[in-house]
Amino acid sequence: MTVPVPVEVSDDALAAPAADSTPDVVDGIAFARLYGEPLFKLPQDLYIPPEALEVFLETFEGPLDLLLYLIRKQNFNVLDIPMAEVTTQYLGYVDQIRGTNLELASEYLLMAAMLIEIKSRMLLPVKKADAGEEAEDPRAELVRRLLEYEQIKLAARKLDDIPQLGRDFLRAEVYIEQSLAPRFPDVDLGELREAWADVLKRAKLVAHHKISREELSVREHMSLILRRLQGARFVEFADLFEVTRGVPVMVVNFIAMLELSRESLIEITQAEPFAPIYVRLAYLPT
């Protein structure tokens, strides 16, 4: 809680204003506006109430803060507080704030009552305890609270010195819009050759020894491959060959596939090394 120390200006000082040296017009520009009208000169009958003039000399966050300020300002030992002098100064401050903020003064009056009680107890003769030891110093509880408050205040000040987001620095944020498109690795020529060799190897295992003459057309097989790919998004490389029709048909079919790839009508892709090879159309059919 922040408490101002008011400094009042006497009525005599306000009632006798100094001679006004403000020129009527300063380069033709008004230095203020009153209800929208330009003001070139201060009014002679300007009245400022005394309660409107307050100078904040020191601010305190509570009774302990004020008490610690009075002790540290005069270099008193906090373990041996001169209660008479400190209490007098504290009560003088409380009398000042009672005239401006009675609700705020109530919190300080509680501490004032405690100081007066400690001061009264110190004026009484010291009684011995039952065990023969001296009685506890009446200031012990107050000293403990002051030391704890000072430690917390110093810790709070260290925390406040740490750079804070929004006060000492701002977080930089950058938004980068990225349009990611799947990119398949290129098919190596060696892998394509090995896949073709594997297809030939399987074709020889099921080949029939039948002698026949057949006229094969590369264009016809190109059309068959395009028709086969129109029904699916991806077709595995080996599924485009009919091993039961023999090696010559598969050779023509493979040449047709290479011709389609050369003309950019199909794409031969592979997700990763040593993965299956897939074939798809390079365009969307209408």
Side-chain angles (χ1 to χ4, degrees):
M1 183 180 298
T2 303
V3 181
V5 179
V7 176
E8 296 187 356
V9 180
S10 63
D11 294 339
D12 296 336
L14 294 175
D20 186 13
S21 59
T22 305
D24 294 339
V25 179
V26 181
D27 296 334
I29 301 176
F31 66 89
R33 287 185 176 273
L34 182 62
Y35 297 107
E37 297 295 330
L39 189 65
F40 298 100
K41 187 178 180 180
L42 290 176
Q44 297 295 332
D45 56 348
L46 181 63
Y47 172 74
I48 301 177
E51 60 272 9
L53 297 177
E54 293 182 354
V55 180
F56 298 100
L57 300 179
E58 296 291 344
T59 56
F60 306 103
E61 299 178 355
L64 285 176
D65 196 26
L66 170 60
L67 194 58
L68 186 63
Y69 167 78
L70 295 176
I71 294 174
R72 294 306 186 191
K73 182 180 180 180
Q74 301 175 84
N75 295 324
F76 291 149
N77 186 2
V78 72
L79 301 178
D80 188 16
I81 304 174
M83 296 304 302
E85 187 173 352
V86 171
T87 303
T88 301
Q89 296 177 4
Y90 185 89
L91 291 177
Y93 178 83
V94 172
D95 289 338
Q96 290 183 4
I97 63 174
R98 284 177 64 185
T100 58
N101 194 337
L102 185 60
E103 181 180 357
L104 181 62
S106 60
E107 183 179 359
Y108 288 80
L109 287 174
L110 181 62
M111 177 60 70
M114 180 180 179
L115 295 176
I116 295 174
E117 179 187 3
I118 295 175
K119 178 182 176 182
S120 302
R121 290 172 57 187
M122 292 183 65
L123 295 176
L124 299 175
V126 179
K127 295 182 180 180
K128 296 290 185 178
D130 297 338
E133 300 178 356
E134 293 186 359
E136 185 180 8
D137 192 334
R139 301 169 295 182
E141 177 64 19
L142 178 62
V143 170
R144 183 189 63 80
R145 293 176 59 183
L146 286 173
L147 293 177
E148 290 180 356
Y149 176 78
E150 188 175 25
Q151 291 178 357
I152 295 174
K153 187 175 181 179
L154 292 176
R157 186 176 302 171
K158 291 181 179 179
L159 289 176
D160 189 64
D161 292 338
I162 299 176
Q164 297 182 13
L165 177 63
R167 187 192 68 177
D168 303 309
F169 65 92
L170 299 175
R171 181 186 292 112
E173 297 181 359
V174 179
Y175 175 75
I176 302 177
E177 184 178 358
Q178 297 180 347
S179 56
L180 301 178
R183 181 181 177 183
F184 300 100
D186 297 333
V187 179
D188 185 71
L189 183 60
E191 295 180 353
L192 188 60
R193 183 175 61 249
E194 291 178 1
W196 166 242
D198 184 64
V199 172
L200 285 179
K201 183 179 179 181
R202 286 185 294 163
K204 292 179 180 180
L205 294 176
V206 295
H208 298 282
H209 297 282
K210 182 179 179 181
I211 300 175
S212 62
R213 183 177 180 178
E214 183 179 4
E215 294 182 0
L216 302 175
S217 173
V218 175
R219 288 294 176 183
E220 181 182 358
H221 281 268
M222 290 172 63
S223 300
L224 292 175
I225 293 174
L226 293 177
R227 193 177 301 114
R228 174 71 174 83
L229 293 177
Q230 286 181 357
R233 184 178 179 185
F234 291 93
V235 177
E236 192 173 354
F237 177 81
D239 293 338
L240 293 174
F241 298 89
E242 296 180 12
V243 295
T244 58
R245 297 187 62 181
V247 175
V249 175
M250 289 191 297
V251 171
V252 175
N253 200 34
F254 182 68
I255 294 174
M257 184 183 301
L258 295 178
E259 187 67 16
L260 289 172
S261 178
R262 186 180 67 82
E263 296 179 4
S264 300
L265 295 177
I266 64 173
E267 291 181 358
I268 304 175
T269 61
Q270 186 180 34
E272 59 185 6
F274 306 105
I277 298 175
Y278 292 91
V279 182
R280 67 175 181 177
L281 291 175
Y283 66 96
L284 295 176
T286 58

